[in-house]
Amino acid sequence: LGTKAARSVVCARERRASKFDSSSRASSGRVIGEAHAARSILDHSSLRVTRQLEMLNVLLGFEQANRYALVDPQGNAAGFMVEEETATSVFSRQVYGKHRPFSILVLDPSGNACLRIRRAFSLVNSYVTVEDVATGEAVGESQQEWHVWRRKYSLFRSQPGSEMAQFARIDVPFLSWDFPMADEQGAVVGGVFRDFSGIGTELLTDYGLYAVCFDRLSLAQRVSSMATTNTVQPTMHAMDLDCRAAALAAAVSIDFDYFSRHSRLGMGASPWFFFPMSSGYAPPSDSDS
């Protein structure tokens, strides 16, 4: 894990000097404030999210609870995410596959739970919420939008009362491995980017390697690598901690929806499915709505 994370363009141990480095700490959100336990996890320019190997899945096709390791840009452990086990979770994982309900705890490096990412049974669109473990208060949401040939999500952050405010949208082509998050003006405010981990790993295992970008430095490194002439430049404004929690929840949703072994059923083992494809991001047009 440490070796693969260190090779990431986002998680390089030696980061080049940049004028973007002046944006140090993320601003507090409405729910996740200065003293919240989740700040130590989310207060990084990016996170490397690695879904651990499920050996029973590899050997027997038996779906196990998902577990993720979180690594900061310097290669240090930032936390973990663990799918909670219930009396019916083993059954639902085998029967419902990627549509199953789940509850995932976000833990700090000491193993203390600070956030919970949960989803009810999802037949078509995945609807994921992230909440404070201590209070149960909603922090943000990620809502998948159905589309024939595109991958779409809307991201929301909590507001006073029971309202949610949208702060970003994902709208990328079919089979894309890059999921940049754009605000209302089309500026990229964050993103989830899946990395290719090797043909054997992609074909035979449930191992997943993602970069979740939160600020201009990590976005500039990622977005500039997209081979397109009309890529939108990263925004000047960094996401606050509530938005970052919603982005992390979106990464979990994307992993379940498109990169779980269950999500590949019926796709066959065609090699084109497993090779990374850039989103070639451009501002969504009205004709794609």
Side-chain angles (χ1 to χ4, degrees), residues 267-287:
M267 298 292 293
S270 302
W272 54 265
F273 178 74
F274 299 99
F275 284 96
M277 298 180 66
S278 171
S279 68
Y281 177 76
S285 62
D286 294 337
S287 61

Side-chain angles (χ1 to χ4, degrees), residues 95-153:
V95 175
Y96 299 134
K98 70 168 186 172
H99 303 287
R100 73 179 188 261
F102 62 75
S103 176
I104 294 177
L105 287 176
V106 181
L107 313 172
D108 66 17
S110 299
N112 302 310
C114 52
L115 297 173
R116 177 179 282 109
I117 300 171
R118 79 168 72 239
R119 184 185 74 177
F121 173 79
S122 165
L123 182 60
V124 180
N125 292 329
S126 185
Y127 180 89
V128 177
T129 62
V130 55
E131 60 189 36
D132 184 8
V133 165
T135 65
E137 186 174 8
V139 179
E141 296 177 352
S142 169
Q143 299 181 15
Q144 185 183 22
E145 301 175 24
W146 185 87
H147 196 279
V148 176
W149 63 83
R150 298 188 71 83
R151 295 178 169 181
K152 292 186 174 186
Y153 292 85

